[in-house]
Amino acid sequence: MRLVVKELIFNLPAIIIVVALGGGIFYQSIESVLETNEDEVLKIRKQYIIDLLDNYKGESPFIEHAFADIYEIEEEDALHLPVTDVFSDTIINNPKLDESILYRQLRFQYSTNGRNYMVWARTAEVDNDEVLQSVITTIVITCLLMAVVISFLNVYFFRKIWMPFHGILSNLTRFNLDGSSEYVSAPSSVKEFQMLDATLREITSRLQSEYDELKDFTSYLTHELQTPLAVVNGKIDLLIQDQSLSEDQLRSLVAIRNTILSISEFEKTLIFLKRIELGQFNQMGHIDFSATLTSKLEQTEELIKLKKISLKADIVPNVMLDIHPQLIDTLLNNIISNSIRHNIKNGFIEVKLTPRELKVTNSTREVGELSHEGADFISIRGLGVGASIIKAICNRHQLNFKVVQEDNAYSLVIGLHPG
């Protein structure tokens, strides 16, 4: 989820709450203002009625007026009624409109010209339900408008403000330790992005320096180890040809030579693993996995027959895989050689390739204890460091892999979809 969307999701509830609270306060304020205005109107009408009564010459105890009820009362009654003004709300049915109308009214007493009057001055109130409905409608529209505006501003400003960050990220993505692409600074006027760029520039420079040193060390190690090992191996070959050596001496020399060869192969494997780890196989190729696997099996067909191993292959054609050509070659070499080397006489190898996975099953007497996950090849007795290469290549391309143990057999399964 993009940052702008997460910010909008985070801010939207807060906006709704704030607008709702503001709407409630707004509603209370409008209600208070309307009531105050209505009371002021009633006070003005009171003064108008007082002026009317001061000039009234009629004899009727009830004076009809458009916005007030005026009753003449006896002096004795006037003494028992409250003389203070009283504001209240009332509902009066309007027969013409056939509906009840809410009024704000003011009741007061007034004496003039020897007469006492009880007056109810009224003015129609604004319907609170209508006010509430208007406020709610306003809140909803405001929330929607704010969401639209904030979304637009977020998209616009985030795109503009975060442009240097995306530039830094793009430059970092293109950065490669093999020197084919260096990290390029992304200019920015934002201090935080400047600090991030400077930090990444320092880190990538240090990584590049350490990578170069490790690469040189690997090259020196290869040269310094392979040369003396080749010399020792050559001397042993010469000694083996000496006819004066006893049988025990020859056995010892052969054992020494095999050990040196194992050390040499182990050293090559470690260097190859380090090259994979350092990212020296980044150039991908769209490889026909089906054709490559078929070719590898044909190349080892004679060796398989020599060990009297039955081979059963079920290969779906045109299975493609994005992988470095050298790595796919190394991967298949190790898988097939392991299945042959650690097999038994009159054993079997079953190879099944589908667009989803490669499964290689072979008979063996060397199946050991698997790890809890069943994927740690080094812990499987008999698979050796060749399995470490398989593991490293699969990890490099984010391929799922596992080893399934069966009776006197194991299956190596590689999922061909990253994840």
Side-chain angles (χ1 to χ4, degrees), residues 244-355:
S244 62
L245 295 178
S246 64
E247 186 175 347
D248 290 339
Q249 291 173 325
L250 286 173
R251 286 201 196 93
S252 297
L253 288 173
V254 170
I256 293 172
R257 185 181 64 177
N258 290 338
T259 301
I260 292 173
L261 289 175
S262 297
I263 294 173
S264 179
E265 289 299 320
F266 184 74
E267 184 257 350
K268 290 179 181 178
T269 300
L270 290 180
I271 292 174
F272 188 78
L273 289 172
K274 182 55 65 177
R275 290 179 64 196
I276 295 175
E277 182 182 337
L278 293 175
Q280 295 186 12
F281 300 96
N282 289 328
Q283 295 180 354
M284 301 295 182
H286 200 53
I287 307 299
D288 189 337
F289 197 20
S290 302
T292 305
L293 178 59
T294 301
S295 176
K296 287 295 178 185
L297 291 175
E298 290 174 352
Q299 293 174 16
T300 57
E301 187 176 0
E302 292 299 325
L303 180 59
I304 292 173
K305 289 182 179 179
L306 186 63
K307 291 196 67 171
K308 296 183 180 180
I309 299 172
S310 63
L311 173 64
K312 180 181 178 181
D314 182 9
I315 301 174
V316 174
N318 300 320
V319 175
M320 308 303 292
L321 187 64
D322 292 326
I323 191 172
H324 192 282
Q326 185 176 346
L327 290 186
I328 190 64
D329 188 71
T330 304
L331 177 70
L332 292 179
N333 280 341
N334 280 275
I335 292 175
I336 296 173
S337 62
N338 270 342
S339 64
I340 296 174
R341 184 183 306 115
H342 304 297
N343 215 310
I344 59 176
K345 190 176 181 180
N346 298 321
F348 67 88
I349 297 176
E350 295 179 356
V351 180
K352 183 176 182 180
L353 176 66
T354 68

Side-chain angles (χ1 to χ4, degrees), residues 29 93 98 103 112 137 147 311 316 396 409 412:
S29 300
N93 184 55
D98 193 23
Y103 285 89
T112 182
T137 303
L311 173 64
V316 174
R396 170 66 184 81
L412 189 150

